Amino acid sequence: MEGPWEMLTGKRVLLIIGGGIAAYKSLLLIRLLRASGAQVTPVLTRAGAEFVTPLSVSALAGQKVHQALFDLTDEAEMGHIELSRSADLIVVAPATADLMAKAAGGRADDLASTLLLATDTKVLMAPAMNVRMWLHPATQRTLAQLAADGVLRVGPNEGEMACGEFGPGRMAEPEEILLAIQAALTGGPLHGRHVIVTSGPTQEPIDPVRYIANRSSGAQGTALAAALRDLGAAVTFVTGPAVVPAPAGVTVVRVETAQQMQAAVRAALPADAAIMAAAVADWRVVNAGAQKLKKDGSGKAPALEFAENPDILASVSSGTQRPKLVVGFAAETENVVTHAMAKRLRKGCDWIVANDVSPATGIMGGTENAVVLITASGAESWPRMSKQDVATRLAERISDALAAEGQP
Ligand code: CTP
């Protein structure tokens, strides 16, 4: 495999091996980690020991394997609290549906789950399970909770599974897990970079109790902020009142109106990149009532007067503190690519992530997205995928663009 060896010299990894057929790959992971210079302290769950033997694990790790929560010798030598905190990173591979659900729910009924609850160390999970278990809403809820708790994840991949089915659920390959471990321990490719992400709708008041808004849930912006965070970026997340909760591990700035969002973005500059995923209201009510507007009995509706809101994307793109990479989103309902290409030029940003938000697509407020990435070199259509996957892919592109010399 490619990649710098000895990158993990002196790093301590606590490796929890859960009960799944993919546990055999964790033996190879131990070898790769040790070849990279890391120390590996192995923990084997009871189910894990059905798939690989404690002897193989400890022989490869060159250390005793920890298995039981109540082990008197262990408690004398090293308590589970200390064990969980003495590492630079905790890796769970394979992370089974059960182990992940326990971690998300804060259960602590065996050594592995207790370590995960007791730790203040970063945790990276490599899930592995049957495709139906992976796609089950319960597992998806677990994943959302773990992501919100700041747990890092690598994989799973799609492919043929040991149970004969095909789909997502295969554990990431040991080499991929090693790269994710290196990223988690050495800061990731966006370490030292500051990225501003705007997200969610804005709300423009009509009076103290009413407002004009839109259907944006904040899902795509939130997923993107989390993906950038996972690559090591310091993220300032400027969000309107969104449905989806803000991710952990980012600086959250909450705003309501477009004008407040613009002020928050300006205050957050300078940045290496600005990603404007917010659905900003184009208009605000200039004669908003200081008190609740009342019916006057005449049947006449109040006449609202509108003014155009500042274009945050355009002003950042043309500003003196322009980040190296400025990315806008374009929510369109027709002629997506043509409109988005024109929008890229009009707003002066580097890329536009365009999507069709016609009601029939179910994209606005939904969990999936089908985007076209518009750059100076043209339009690139991505297949329909989860907003999470769009975020991961986009974050990687952003990372590559920032690493490259010259213009994105
Ligand atoms: N945007 C912004 N400030 C605004 C309006 C939009 O920063 N006042 C940003 C959005 O965050 C998004 C991009 O501009 O990244 C495009 O938003 P969109 O609503 O699709 O475009 P509009 O500018 O509203 O253009 P139109 O109404 O012509 O579709």
Side-chain angles (χ1 to χ4, degrees), residues 1-12 32-39 178-189:
M1 65 163 290
E2 300 236 345
W5 294 99
E6 302 295 323
M7 254 188 92
L8 300 178
T9 302
K11 299 287 184 192
R12 288 158 309 168
L32 291 174
L33 279 167
R34 293 199 65 198
S36 305
Q39 287 174 36
L178 180 68
L179 286 179
I181 292 171
Q182 286 174 341
L185 283 172
T186 57

Side-chain angles (χ1 to χ4, degrees), residues 187-207:
L190 287 175
H191 181 69
R193 304 285 195 175
H194 177 213
V195 182
I196 300 172
V197 177
T198 71
S199 181
T202 65
Q203 290 180 354
E204 307 296 332
I206 296 172
D207 67 21

Side-chain angles (χ1 to χ4, degrees), residues 104-194:
R107 299 272 306 274
D109 61 358
D110 61 5
L111 180 60
S113 54
T114 304
L115 291 172
L116 290 168
L117 191 62
T119 194
D120 53 4
T121 304
K122 246 191 276 181
V123 177
L124 171 73
M125 293 195 177
M129 69 195 71
N130 165 273
V131 55
R132 292 279 150 237
M133 290 169 77
W134 174 256
L135 295 173
H136 196 284
T139 304
Q140 295 299 314
R141 278 199 302 277
T142 293
L143 290 168
Q145 185 58 55
L146 291 172
D149 293 345
V151 171
L152 307 173
R153 174 156 74 84
V154 52
N157 295 337
E158 271 200 15
E160 191 87 43
M161 311 198 50
C163 53
E165 288 185 70
F166 185 91
R170 264 171 74 101
M171 187 168 86
E173 295 306 316
E175 291 81 0
E176 291 173 275
I177 302 176
L178 180 68
L179 286 179
I181 292 171
Q182 286 174 341
L185 283 172
T186 57
L190 287 175
H191 181 69
R193 304 285 195 175
H194 177 213

Side-chain angles (χ1 to χ4, degrees), residues 316-336:
V316 167
S317 297
S318 63
T320 48
Q321 287 188 294
R322 188 193 199 281
K324 179 179 174 194
L325 179 68
V326 181
V327 181
F329 277 67
E332 307 288 350
T333 54
E334 56 178 359
N335 303 328
V336 177

